Amino acid sequence: MPRPTFKEFKKEALSKVNVKNEYERLTPEYELKLKLIKMRKEANLTQEDIAKIMHTKRSNISRLESFTYESSPKLSTLMAYAEATGHHLKVDFI
């Protein structure tokens, strides 16, 4: 029996209500971390560069961008990160 592709696996997993609910719950956090990494790369900055600008350690930036780190960042941290990459933070509710 051939192994399912990731697309097939995801479709099967998301057909389960509890998996779909958890996936949807985690989506905003995942998208935020992808956005942070994209902003840093577009600014041609390393994690070390961002850390220096923000007066912190590279390990803190690494945790901030990590998909496995479970703590939520402070709003002030996100604002500082945005400024370090030449952006402004806008919080919106939909």
Side-chain angles (χ1 to χ4, degrees):
M1 177 180 234
R3 282 180 98 177
T5 65
F6 178 73
K7 189 175 184 178
E8 292 166 340
F9 172 80
K10 183 177 176 182
K11 183 178 179 182
E12 171 75 21
L14 292 177
S15 71
K16 299 172 184 160
V17 175
N18 60 334
V19 174
K20 186 174 191 249
N21 290 342
E22 184 66 6
Y23 180 85
E24 289 173 353
R25 185 185 72 78
L26 293 172
T27 295
E29 183 178 344
Y30 183 79
E31 288 175 350
L32 172 64
K33 295 189 183 234
L34 284 175
K35 181 71 173 177
L36 293 174
I37 295 166
K38 181 180 178 188
M39 288 170 25
R40 177 175 54 78
K41 288 183 176 184
E42 286 177 350
N44 292 316
L45 297 170
T46 64
Q47 288 181 343
E48 186 71 33
D49 295 332
I50 295 282
K52 286 178 185 174
I53 293 167
M54 292 177 61
H55 306 288
T56 190
K57 297 178 182 176
R58 188 206 58 80
S59 59
N60 292 333
I61 303 304
S62 178
R63 277 193 297 277
L64 180 65
E65 294 179 356
S66 172
F67 294 103
T68 58
Y69 189 62
E70 295 183 15
S71 181
S72 296
K74 290 181 177 181
L75 193 55
S76 60
T77 301
L78 293 175
M79 290 171 63
Y81 191 102
E83 287 181 31
T85 60
H87 294 86
H88 296 283
L89 180 65
K90 176 185 174 187
V91 178
D92 193 10
F93 295 92
I94 53 171

